[in-house]
Amino acid sequence: MSPLSPDIPLAPLKELLRFYLENGVDCAVEEAGVDRFEETRERMAAREMAARQAPAQQQGRPAGAQHRDDGARAPAERPRRSEARSQPPAAPPPVAPAALPSEEAVMAAREAARSAASLEELREILAGFDGCNLKRTATQLVFADGNPEGRVMLVGEAPGRDEDLQGLPFVGRSGRLLDRMLAAIGLDRSGVYIANTIPWRPPGNRDPSPMERAICRPFIQQQIRLADPDFLILLGNAAAKEMLDTTMGITRLRGRWIDFDTGARQVRAMATFHPAYLLRNPLQKKLVWRDLLTLKAALEESQN
């Protein structure tokens, strides 16, 4: 590929790339662009030619064949070069369609999650689970990071592009902000356990569907039960609604302790804003700072 001409302005190209990234387009499917309009014209020409040939084929003779005066059949006329070019390329081999999310997949997820006796076993079960279509488009499983023995567990919603590439939750810009938030109250990843309600990146960073959430829910519930934290911090509106089973928004939920049943015991849970939200709305950091101080006070009180 030849280098760009120095006369081509780079600013519009950078803006285009930024637009693609913001809309989840982070990889190229083809080496070169494809003219879909030309493909459509080729398919239409192929259909027109097939329609012209159909009457002759229905009469039991090849299209283009003509009778000679002696009754012998003349060979079919070769298609003109322009018609030959209009033939569409050979279709690729069929790909098995994705399975539709269903109640059966939800039941299979519950059975699979329930069978895990440890976090490592849960990771292996989740890596081999094929009941969620998000796995088909994700690069890899994003299971957890940090210390599963930590007293604090943080749960977000779903992996983004950086998390999908590295296989760890909260490693992009929002992850760096989360690290600074933890450091502000004397914590780091060696003392907390971090996971997401959805372990695979949704394509284009779209919102997971209700059925996709239902399929993934048993796994994060079992992950919380096996980690058995003393404090559960839910990062963002989606994670808070999912884990607390409520329609109440994050603005009303945040900053207060709520009893959460892990399946083994009751722990204290609190919702707060997601770091990605704080990057877009930095003025809300003051509210999260209050939530972090509440967590710090609870940790110190429980140690006394």
Side-chain angles (χ1 to χ4, degrees):
M1 183 180 294
S2 59
L4 292 175
S5 169
D7 299 330
I8 298 178
L10 296 181
L13 296 178
K14 291 180 179 178
E15 289 298 322
L16 180 61
L17 288 174
R18 185 177 296 109
F19 170 79
Y20 284 154
L21 287 173
E22 290 175 352
N23 286 274
V25 181
D26 50 31
C27 62
V29 178
E30 304 273 352
E31 289 291 337
V34 178
D35 188 345
R36 302 299 180 188
F37 294 103
E38 182 62 31
E39 285 188 353
T40 302
R41 287 192 289 268
E42 291 177 353
R43 287 196 295 268
M44 292 177 63
R47 284 198 296 268
E48 291 175 359
M49 186 171 66
R52 291 197 299 268
Q53 293 174 345
Q57 293 173 347
Q58 291 173 356
Q59 294 175 7
R61 62 183 184 182
Q66 298 178 351
H67 285 288
R68 296 180 182 175
D69 292 340
D70 57 4
R73 188 177 299 276
E77 181 181 338
R78 291 185 177 181
R80 293 187 294 273
R81 184 172 300 176
S82 60
E83 291 180 348
R85 284 200 305 267
S86 67
Q87 291 288 349
V95 178
L100 292 176
S102 63
E103 288 297 332
E104 289 76 11
V106 175
M107 294 300 295
R110 290 173 182 168
E111 291 296 324
R114 191 180 299 121
S115 66
S118 67
L119 288 171
E120 188 56 37
E121 188 174 342
L122 181 65
R123 177 197 288 270
E124 294 176 1
I125 291 173
L126 194 51
F129 182 76
D130 295 323
C132 183
N133 285 333
L134 293 177
K135 181 180 179 180
R136 296 169 61 92
T137 55
T139 302
Q140 59 186 314
L141 172 71
V142 180
F143 184 70
D145 193 18
N147 182 4
E149 302 296 329
R151 300 180 62 206
V152 178
M153 181 173 180
L154 300 100
V155 177
E157 181 188 12
R161 177 177 178 271
D162 294 320
E163 290 78 9
D164 182 53
L165 293 175
Q166 298 188 39
L168 295 172
F170 288 93
V171 293
R173 290 182 63 209
S174 60
R176 291 191 291 272
L177 177 55
L178 178 61
D179 290 341
R180 294 197 295 271
M181 291 163 55
L182 293 173
I185 57 171
L187 295 176
D188 58 29
R189 295 197 182 217
S190 66
V192 301
Y193 188 55
I194 308 173
N196 283 312
T197 60
I198 306 293
W200 296 286
R201 180 199 181 192
N205 288 349
R206 65 165 173 79
D207 291 335
S209 69
M211 188 59 72
E212 289 166 346
R213 293 182 186 278
I215 293 172
C216 295
R217 186 178 301 126
F219 294 106
I220 184 59
Q221 289 174 335
Q222 183 73 343
Q223 194 170 359
I224 294 172
R225 187 185 74 82
L226 293 172
D228 195 26
D230 293 331
F231 301 96
L232 180 66
I233 304 300
L234 304 172
L235 299 171
N237 192 52
K241 287 184 175 181
E242 179 73 14
M243 301 314 304
L244 299 177
D245 192 22
T246 180
T247 58
M248 190 179 298
I250 185 68
T251 303
R252 295 178 61 190
L253 281 173
R254 57 147 293 273
R256 56 192 179 91
W257 291 116
I258 301 172
D259 289 336
F260 180 85
D261 186 1
T262 68
R265 65 187 178 108
Q266 295 279 335
V267 300
R268 302 172 74 181
M270 181 171 58
T272 191
F273 292 125
H274 195 285
Y277 173 80
L278 298 179
L279 290 173
R280 300 189 301 268
N281 302 274
L283 292 179
Q284 302 299 328
K285 290 181 180 179
K286 60 184 179 181
L287 298 179
V288 177
W289 175 238
R290 296 177 191 170
D291 301 341
L292 292 173
L293 291 177
T294 300
L295 172 61
K296 182 180 180 181
L299 286 168
E300 293 174 348
E301 179 184 350
S302 62
Q303 289 176 342
N304 296 332

